[in-house]
Structures are given as C-alpha cells and as structure tokens.
Amino acid sequence: MRILVTGAEGFIGRALLCRLLTDMDGTDVTGLDLAVAPPWASGDRLRWIRGGLDDRAVLEQLGAAPFDLVFHLASIPGGRAEAEPALGRRVNLDASLDLLQLLAQSRHRPRVVYASSIAVYGALSQAPVSAQTEARPAITYGAHKRMVEIALADHTRRGDLSGIALRLPGIVARPRPVSGFGSAFMSELLHALSAGESYVCPVSPDATAWWLSAKAAVDNLVLAGKLDVCGTLQPPALRLSIAEVVASSVQLFGTARSAGVSFAPDARIEAVFGRYPELDASAELALGFAHDASVADMISNAVGARIWRDKKANSPQ
Amino acid sequence: MRILVTGAEGFIGRALLCRLLTDMDGTDVTGLDLAVAPPWASGDRLRWIRGGLDDRAVLEQLGAAPFDLVFHLASIPGGRAEAEPALGRRVNLDASLDLLQLLAQSRHRPRVVYASSIAVYGALSQAPVSAQTEARPAITYGAHKRMVEIALADHTRRGDLSGIALRLPGIVARPRPVSGFGSAFMSELLHALSAGESYVCPVSPDATAWWLSAKAAVDNLVLAGKLDVCGTLQPPALRLSIAEVVASSVQLFGTARSAGVSFAPDARIEAVFGRYPELDASAELALGFAHDASVADMISNAVGARIWRDKKANSPQ
C-alpha cells in the first residue's frame, strides 16, 4: 500500500508518520512538507518530498506515483489565514482542491482522509454539536475547510475518490511556541501544568472546550483510513472545563505544579474558544472513533514522556 | 454608479443589462462575456469586455475600474460542469473566487449580487425548502455554487464585500435550443405550448417544479443590488405542476395549442426535477422579493411578445 501524508512535518503529521511507519507493515509512505525531512526519516519505506501543494512541480511528482491512501493535513493555521486571506486561499483551499483533482484523475479511487476542523461550525450555540450541525464558518480558515469538505464529498459522489473528512478540534499539546491558533491556550496550559510554570490563562476556570490529544487524533485518522465509510464526521473529544483539566493535573503532577495557574479571562477568547457545548459523536463512536480514555489519559498523551519520567522520579515507592 | 454584469450575454444577463440601461439613470454599466457585444450595446453607458474571468488580462482590466455594484452571473451550466468537472471548477469556482478576491481588494466594499442556484440543496425531501435548508449539493455545479456562497459570506464577514447570494431556480423560458440544464424541459414545454407544437414532456403531469420567469428573476436581482441585506437568500417562485402550467396555457393560447403535449416520464428526470416541495420564502417576500404574479403572468413573462401578438391576431373583438 502506498500512503501520502501532506503536512508531514507538522504537529499531527509527524505523529501520524511515526505511527504509520511503526504499525503498518508493507506500506510505502511519502511525506510531503515545506520542511526538510526529519533526521529519522531515512528508512527505505519513507520517501520525502519537500515543497508545497501550490507548486506545480510537486503536484507533478505526486501525479507520477499512484497512492492508495492519502492523509491531507497540510494547511496554514487559522490566525495566519485570517491575517493573510489570499495566502489562506492558496494553501488551504486552492492547493487542497488541486490535490483532490490530481488524485481523482488517478482513476483507481484512492482513499482520502481530510483533516477538517471544528472551525467550520462558526459560532456555537449551547445545543449539542454533531456532524449534522449546520456549518456557518466565522473565520476564513473555517470557510476554506468547509469548501474543501464539499469538494471532497463531490469527488466521492462522482466515484473518483473515497473521501472522509474529520472535523478535528484543537489538538493538544502543540509544541511551544504555540502560535497562530486561537486555541493555543489549551496547549500552553498543559505545558505550564506539566512543567510547573506560572501561566495566565486567558479563559475562566469554567470555560469548556473539546480536548483531544495528538495520540488520539492519530488513532482516529488511522481508523478513518481503514474504514469503508465516506462523508464528513465529527470525531469524539472530551468536553472539559479548564477547572477539570487543572484538577486532574493536580493528581498527576501534584498540587505545586498547578499553583502557578492564574486567570485573566479575555472576553473575546472566552466567547469563541471557551463555550463549547456537548459533542454528540455517537455515530462516530459506534464506528470506533474514540477520545482519550480519561482526563488523565488526555493530559498524559498530550504532554507525553515528561509525566512518566517525573512521576517515576517523585514516586514514594 | 458603476455596475459590472458578468455573463452579460447569457439568458439572464441580457435581460438584466437591458433593465439596468433602461431603468437606472446615472449608471455606467460594464458587460463581461465570452461573446461579442450585442449590436444594441453601443451606447455611451455600456462598456463591453469580451473574455472570461479565468483570463488574467480580463481580471486586470476589471481591477483598473472600481465597481460599486456587481452582478456575477457567469457560469457554465450544470450538465456541462458534470461532464467536465475541471472546466466547471475553473469557470464556476476558481474564476468566481478570483473575481471576489479582486473586488475585495478594491477596499471600498462593493455590493456583490451572486446568482447562486437551487442546485446547492441536492436531493429534496418533501419538507418545505428555505434558505435555511441544509445544502447537500448532489451535482458538481451545485457544489461549486455552494462553495462560492461560502466564500462570498466570508468576504462579507471580513467587511471587504457586501454580498448577497440568490438561489435561483431554473429560469423560464431559456431560448432554444435549451441545453446543458436538467430543467430544460420547463422552457421547452413553454415554447411548445406557445407555438402550438407537439412536445413529449419527460415528466408526468403531476410533477411539481419552481417556476420563475426571466423578468421576475431580473426584478429580484435588481432588488438584491439595492437592499442593505447580506447573506444567502431563497427568492420566491411559483410551485406548479406541469398540469397547472398546461391548464393555464390553455386559457392563454386556446385548447388547440396544448393538444400537442404528451407525456413520457423519465424516472431520473422526474426524481430530480419533478418533485419540488413547497418553497418557504417568507423572509424574502417580506424584503420585497417576488415571484410572477400568477401562472398566466409567469407564462406570458416567459414567452413574452409572442403571446400578445397571437392573442391580438386571434381576438374575436
């Protein structure tokens, strides 16, 4: 099986690539990114293409190699797309449409897993959100993600792609410095909690958000690649308040590490990123999609090895 | 006021252009079309640009002239976009996005009236349809129309355009030969009825569709240009069965002319174009949008001068 991962050196791309190379035997993986190949990427099973999908030469290279499965993750983040909408269009919309069109022309109906975003929903009411909730994007990034969902669905209807779009929430914990994402505070908070640093949280303790670790996001992406289901799906995520995340981190890291967290809610951030309603992902759960098993799991998946190293060092046993 | 009409030599474009030049004093109108300027278009107030929006040089010409009001009608029809999706993307999607981006850069927030389509809805249930009905396009043409609606809404949200999209139904009566449109039978039926020709209707007498004459469509477009309302709207249309249209034509043209209509329903056409539910355009009616005043008005608006000429000739007075 030949697999393509776009945005392969991004936060999720890197985790996905490692998983694919570790777990799936008999696969050839091509990573595409503006960044150079990571140093560990020299194996026989990983080919690396450095460049962007808005580069004709890159598309030609991709066109020459038929892929069975494509994970399309490459995009510029929401903050940057909002500031530079023409760049956002070129990378997040046009280049995505070019990729889909190229793959559709391959005539063997490749599977395409598209990393869409909960940004497609726009302002959320307090009603539970599911993939059936009407998309009314309120940022340019979300508008482009929605447009690509529609194009993917149309290619799927035409029978030239087998497309599935997952509307991912803000994934934690992005590496520092976390920038360009409105939900950056979620990652920043986890880094601060795990490191015992002081952190001024821009939303209140009862602000609720959807939390999903990169590990769980990769689980869901890999499953999406294997399923024989097409369409736009809302993967499950834990709906947690900041207070719940802090409380769980106290159990993981001890009280001292959470002592540095203080709150200075920013009304704008709180309104957009701190009032997430219930998530109804029952259809997706039935298909096998899953959130992190618990708050503690989400935190430990998110900030990874640091916890276990520290726990071991601090363990009374 | 400077006005741009794209697709100016199309069926609706031509009618709109005439109206603008007739009714609106003090306006400078630019018509854009692949076709040459119509012979009557030599007035001082009409500039003509021959070319397509996918032509860089055409966009540059447009960029040099700031417009206050733009009617964006240019597109290739649904049948052709379905057969040639890459062409459909280039003309109906990419060129539309290029135009919006260009207009957005003008920095004086022009008004943009976009001719969207009921094709955005996809398969219709028997529930009434309004602009709030979820768009699930089932043809590539509809997918592209929906994507442009989203882009227009995003430009409007950003404050760089004042955008309004009208989801037009199949407009009657397109000039013969009517091709490329799944709803072509509606125009063909009216032409046959008004000319007293035989016609084999591909849907049954009780097939229902939404009927709107080009005259009423132009009324709605002109109003959309004047209103201070943004968003995606569903203009009203008459929901009529084929039997109702034939019955009304009997009153207009006499029994003889409807005698030639026979029925050979095509299940596929009937399913897509013959089961239109009620239309709930109450919000749009409140804003002043309107359908033809009656079935007879719709028919006479649609087939125009021929009726009155014939009525006069046949009149017993």
Side-chain angles (χ1 to χ4, degrees), chain B residues 7-31:
Chain B
E9 252 293 86
F11 169 53
I12 302 171
R14 209 176 302 169
L16 175 62
L17 217 60
C18 291
R19 178 79 61 84
L20 293 174
L21 292 169
T22 310
D23 286 4
M24 296 174 77
D25 283 339
T27 57
D28 281 321
V29 181
T30 300

Side-chain angles (χ1 to χ4, degrees), chain A residues 189 192-193 196-201 246 254-263:
Chain A
L189 174 70
L193 285 169
E197 298 166 2
S198 65
Y199 180 64
V200 181
C201 187
V246 172
T255 312
R257 293 217 174 153
S258 66
V261 176
S262 59
F263 296 89

Side-chain angles (χ1 to χ4, degrees), chain A residues 24-39:
Chain A
M24 296 174 77
D25 283 339
T27 58
D28 281 321
V29 181
T30 298
L32 172 74
D33 207 289
L34 292 174
V36 294

Side-chain angles (χ1 to χ4, degrees), chain B residues 90-162:
Chain B
R90 185 156 60 82
V91 176
N92 293 354
L93 178 60
D94 294 345
S96 297
L97 299 179
D98 287 344
L99 175 65
L100 298 186
Q101 191 167 312
L102 180 87
L103 295 169
Q105 283 160 358
S106 74
R107 303 194 178 281
H108 67 287
R109 197 171 173 266
R111 177 71 168 169
V112 178
V113 180
Y114 174 56
S116 186
S117 164
I118 58 165
V120 300
Y121 295 122
L124 297 169
S125 71
Q126 282 311 298
V129 168
S130 77
Q132 307 312 314
T133 300
E134 193 183 3
R136 293 178 172 274
I139 56 174
T140 296
Y141 175 82
H144 290 155
K145 288 280 178 185
R146 178 65 190 134
M147 292 164 80
V148 175
E149 285 182 358
I150 291 171
L152 182 61
D154 193 53
H155 278 296
T156 300
R157 176 194 63 78
R158 297 182 67 89
D160 47 38
L161 293 179
S162 165

